């Protein structure tokens, strides 16, 4: 049976329980979001928290020090102040192998499991007992009503188990293991209503500027058309500050966050960095145009910590020739009285993955615990 190949720590792909706290373990911080249903497919933001991580304890999505990340998660959850210990986590897309297959409809679950296992053997370069493997029925096949489209997903067990161990060490209960790109896609559903015509029938470039990597997606009607990762992010600005002002990495990061830099910082360091970042975004757009049949995007949405750089949205709009906005998945949500609106406006671009994880279950989610 396919289920026997699953890690004992998790039941992958099982139905996601409602009311989960979304937990995003990024390279520099842990972000947490708790939502509540507000009726008719809407949500209310109950609380959120951002807890910094020590340097280099998470590298390229790999957790180098489980104890330190577990301690940070415990501190962040205490700051969050929630009684709900059921959480959703996510793996970087690079750690998950996904494949869509077409199979005859009407199969019993046992038959479908055998079909998936046979297909997985062709596409997964590991023994099945080394991976968490499961599947999701996406719906009818595009060209044949007698077939269904099924998504297979697999990840090395240790990648899943590291995150589960961290959560459990903090006294939390992991219920869902999603994929970061699909959690971002779920959060985009919250952003789309703030775009002209709700973004319908338009190509929307979503640019997530992290510390080390910028993720570039293009979506149309909430579905991915294109994705690309670029090894360039906010950490490059920190290194530029180090070189320009002869600071240690810690001093440069602190000065960047607290705006404690000399007057020439804007002209000599910040503006050149933003120009380079804008150039990377326009290059990604060109990759999209040459890789697909499309020749335009209608809007650019900036997210991640890098999106907070003052004036970056205007610069990107100017260089790309495309209307550009800063992501806020909470813009159309109700918020609890404990949320400070001004602080939320600053933090919202960094909370997409955690927000997507915290949403009520949908057929789009990939990995379940």
């Amino acid at each position: 049976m396919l289920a026997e190949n699953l890690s004992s720590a998790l039941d992958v792909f099982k139905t996601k329980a409602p009311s989960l706290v979304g937990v995003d373990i990024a390279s520099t911080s842990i972000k947490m979001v708790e939502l509540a249903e507000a009726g008719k497919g809407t949500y209310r933001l109950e609380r959120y928290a951002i807890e910094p991580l020590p340097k280099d304890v998470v590298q390229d999505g790999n957790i180098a020090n489980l104890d330190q990340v577990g301690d940070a998660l415990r501190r962040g959850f205490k700051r969050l102040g929630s009684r709900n210990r059921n959480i959703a986590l996510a793996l970087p897309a690079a750690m998950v192998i996904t494949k869509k297959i077409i199979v005859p409809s009407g199969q019993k679950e046992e038959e479908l499991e055998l079909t998936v296992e046979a297909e997985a053997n062709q596409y997964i370069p590991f023994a099945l007992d080394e991976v968490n493997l499961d599947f999701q029925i996406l719906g009818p096949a595009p060209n044949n009503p007698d077939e269904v489209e099924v998504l297979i997903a697999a990840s090395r067990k240790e990648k899943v188990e590291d995150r589960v161990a961290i959560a459990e060490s903090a006294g939390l209960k992991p219920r869902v293991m999603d994929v970061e790109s699909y959690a971002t896609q779920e959060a985009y559903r919250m952003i789309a209503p703030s775009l002209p015509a709700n973004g319908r029938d338009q190509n929307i470039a979503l640019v997530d500027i992290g510390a080390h990597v910028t993720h570039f997606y293009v979506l149309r009607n909430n579905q991915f058309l294109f994705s690309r990762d670029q090894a360039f992010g906010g950490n490059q600005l920190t290194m530029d500050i180090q070189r320009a002002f002869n600071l240690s990495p810690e001093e440069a990061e602190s000065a960047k966050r607290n705006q404690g830099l000399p007057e020439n910082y804007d002209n000599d360091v910040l503006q050149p960095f933003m120009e380079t970042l804008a150039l990377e975004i326009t290059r990604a757009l060109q990759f999209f145009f040459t890789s697909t049949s499309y020749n335009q995007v209608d809007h650019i949405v900036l997210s991640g910590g890098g999106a907070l750089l003052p004036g970056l949205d205007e610069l990107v709009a100017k260089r790309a020739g495309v209307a550009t906005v800063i992501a806020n998945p909470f813009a159309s949500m109700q918020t609890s009285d404990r949320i400070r609106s001004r602080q939320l406006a600053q933090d919202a671009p960094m909370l997409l993955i955690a927000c997507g994880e915290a949403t009520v279950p949908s057929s789009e989610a990939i990995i379940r615990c």
Side-chain angles (χ1 to χ4, degrees):
M1 294 288 290
L2 179 62
E4 293 173 356
N5 291 322
L6 302 182
S7 163
S8 60
L10 294 176
D11 293 322
V12 179
F13 286 132
K14 289 202 174 174
T15 302
K16 176 181 176 181
S19 188
L20 299 176
V21 176
V23 176
D24 172 22
I25 301 175
S27 58
T28 60
S29 64
I30 297 176
K31 296 106 169 178
M32 285 165 266
V33 169
E34 183 175 12
L35 304 177
E37 292 185 67
K40 296 183 180 179
T42 62
Y43 304 94
R44 181 177 65 252
L45 175 60
E46 291 295 323
R47 47 179 66 83
Y48 75 93
I50 300 174
E51 180 67 26
L53 281 170
K55 184 176 174 61
D56 295 333
V57 298
V58 178
Q59 302 176 29
D60 298 325
N62 295 297
I63 298 173
N65 190 310
L66 271 65
D67 290 338
Q68 286 185 293
V69 177
D71 289 344
L73 179 56
R74 189 179 299 107
R75 291 193 301 272
F77 192 78
K78 183 177 180 181
R79 180 185 298 178
L80 185 70
S82 175
R83 295 182 179 179
N84 184 1
R85 293 186 173 271
N86 296 307
I87 67 169
L89 297 158
L91 290 168
M95 292 183 180
V96 183
I97 299 169
T98 60
K99 178 69 178 179
K100 290 181 181 179
I101 63 172
I102 302 296
V103 302
S105 61
Q107 292 189 60
K108 294 180 179 179
E109 184 174 352
E110 294 82 1
E111 296 172 327
L112 190 52
E113 287 177 352
L114 292 173
T115 300
V116 167
E117 190 170 32
E119 291 285 340
N121 271 316
Q122 300 180 48
Y123 301 112
I124 298 172
F126 311 109
L128 291 187
D129 60 2
E130 297 177 6
V131 301
N132 285 99
L133 168 69
D134 219 320
F135 62 92
Q136 180 111 23
I137 298 175
L138 299 180
N143 301 316
N144 190 335
D146 296 326
E147 296 178 325
V148 293
E149 190 174 37
V150 176
L151 181 60
I152 301 174
S155 178
R156 296 294 295 268
K157 282 185 176 180
E158 62 266 25
K159 304 301 182 185
V160 175
E161 290 168 353
D162 280 353
R163 283 165 169 75
V164 171
I166 286 166
E168 292 179 342
S169 74
L172 305 178
K173 299 175 181 178
R175 301 299 189 191
V176 169
M177 188 70 68
D178 212 328
V179 181
E180 289 180 357
S181 57
Y182 286 89
T184 302
Q185 182 184 23
E186 288 298 313
Y188 170 74
R189 296 176 188 275
M190 312 298 153
I191 298 169
S194 64
L195 298 172
N198 297 320
R200 187 71 187 169
D201 297 327
Q202 300 174 54
N203 295 339
I204 310 298
L206 177 58
V207 185
D208 184 13
I209 308 162
H212 301 284
V213 177
T214 294
H215 304 284
F216 181 89
Y217 309 103
V218 181
L219 300 99
R220 186 177 182 86
N221 296 331
N222 296 331
Q223 299 300 314
F224 286 125
L225 295 177
F226 179 82
S227 66
R228 183 174 187 267
D229 291 348
Q230 181 66 29
F232 185 89
N235 194 54
Q236 182 62 49
L237 177 57
T238 304
M239 291 190 288
D240 292 346
I241 293 170
Q242 285 179 244
R243 288 191 293 267
F245 304 112
N246 195 27
L247 300 175
S248 69
E250 293 75 20
E251 289 170 337
E253 185 65 31
S254 176
K256 182 177 74 172
R257 292 180 182 278
N258 299 317
Q259 301 179 338
L261 288 163
E263 290 183 3
N264 63 326
Y265 163 66
D266 279 4
N267 288 332
D268 294 353
V269 180
L270 181 59
Q271 286 301 318
F273 170 80
M274 292 202 302
E275 288 284 358
T276 303
L277 181 53
L279 178 61
E280 293 292 341
I281 293 171
T282 59
R283 283 176 175 168
L285 287 172
Q286 291 304 315
F287 274 107
F288 167 64
F289 299 146
T290 57
S291 302
T292 70
S293 60
Y294 297 98
N295 58 14
Q296 73 172 47
V297 296
D298 299 281
H299 300 279
I300 296 173
V301 179
L302 302 178
S303 69
L308 301 173
L309 293 172
L312 180 63
D313 53 340
E314 295 161 354
L315 179 61
V316 170
K318 181 179 179 180
R319 295 290 179 262
V322 179
T324 302
V325 297
I326 305 298
N328 184 354
F330 312 107
S332 59
M333 285 190 198
Q334 303 173 34
T335 58
S336 70
D337 293 340
R338 66 178 67 86
I339 301 295
R340 292 181 294 172
S341 57
R342 182 174 296 181
Q343 188 63 50
L344 177 62
Q346 286 290 311
D347 295 335
M350 298 185 287
L351 298 171
L352 263 67
I353 291 174
C355 176
E357 293 167 347
T359 57
V360 169
S362 82
S363 60
E364 301 296 329
I366 295 302
I367 297 183
R368 311 274 190 200
C369 302

